[in-house]
Amino acid sequence: MSNDNPSIISHLSIGTNDFTRAKAFYDAVLPSLGIGIVMEHPDAVAYGKQYPEFWVQVPINGKPASVGNGFHIGFFANNKEEVHAFYDAAIAAGATCDGPPGPRPLYGDPYYGCYVRDPEGHKIEAAYWDQELSMQLYGH
C-alpha cells in the first residue's frame, strides 16, 4: 500500500483552559491558510484540509493545560500573502506578535514567515518556503 502524504506528522494537539475562546480564535485565524474544521467533540475540535491534523482540546486527564517552552506549531502558507493574511487575522483575533511577517535569513533564503502567540500563549507560525528559490540555491 502506497502513502503519498508528504507529511511526517499525523497530527498535533494543544491544550486549552478556555475551549470557547480557543475555538473562536482558531476559527477566525486558520481559514486564512485554507484550513477548516474537520471534526468536533464537546471539548475538542480538529482542524485540517482533508483530515484532522491540528487539535485544540481540554486536556483529557482533567489537569490544567500549559504552554510548552520551546514548542511551536508551524502551518504551511502557499505564498507570502497568506503569511500576512494569517498574521493579520491572528492579531485581530487576540494574538500577540512574536515575530512579524518577513524573511528570516537564519532559516534559509527561501523562508518567509511570522510568529504569534495565541490568547493562551501557544507559539504559532505561518511559513512559506519558496520551492523555486530552494531549487536554485540547494538543488531540492
Side-chain angles (χ1 to χ4, degrees), residues 14 16-32 35 37 40 42-47 54 56-57 86 88-95 118-120:
I14 61 171
T16 180
N17 294 306
D18 187 340
F19 180 72
T20 301
R21 181 178 72 170
K23 183 179 180 306
F25 176 81
Y26 286 103
D27 285 354
V29 174
L30 294 179
S32 67
I35 300 168
I37 294 173
E40 288 187 77
D43 289 330
V45 60
Y47 299 90
F54 175 63
V56 177
Q57 64 190 47
F86 172 90
D88 292 343
I91 297 300
D118 77 5
E120 292 189 80

Side-chain angles (χ1 to χ4, degrees), residues 18-108:
D18 187 340
F19 180 72
T20 301
R21 181 178 72 170
K23 183 179 180 306
F25 176 81
Y26 286 103
D27 285 354
V29 174
L30 294 179
S32 67
L33 300 175
I35 300 168
I37 294 173
V38 177
M39 186 180 297
E40 288 187 77
H41 298 290
D43 289 330
V45 60
Y47 299 90
K49 290 187 177 182
Q50 297 179 7
Y51 59 92
E53 298 175 78
F54 175 63
W55 287 87
V56 177
Q57 64 190 47
V58 174
I60 292 174
N61 66 5
K63 295 181 181 179
S66 62
V67 176
N69 186 30
F71 176 80
H72 80 272
I73 296 169
F75 291 103
F76 283 114
N78 290 307
N79 50 53
K80 293 176 181 179
E81 293 76 21
E82 281 191 2
V83 171
H84 284 269
F86 172 90
Y87 180 83
D88 292 343
I91 297 300
T96 56
C97 176
D98 205 37
R104 306 285 192 287
L106 179 64
Y107 301 165

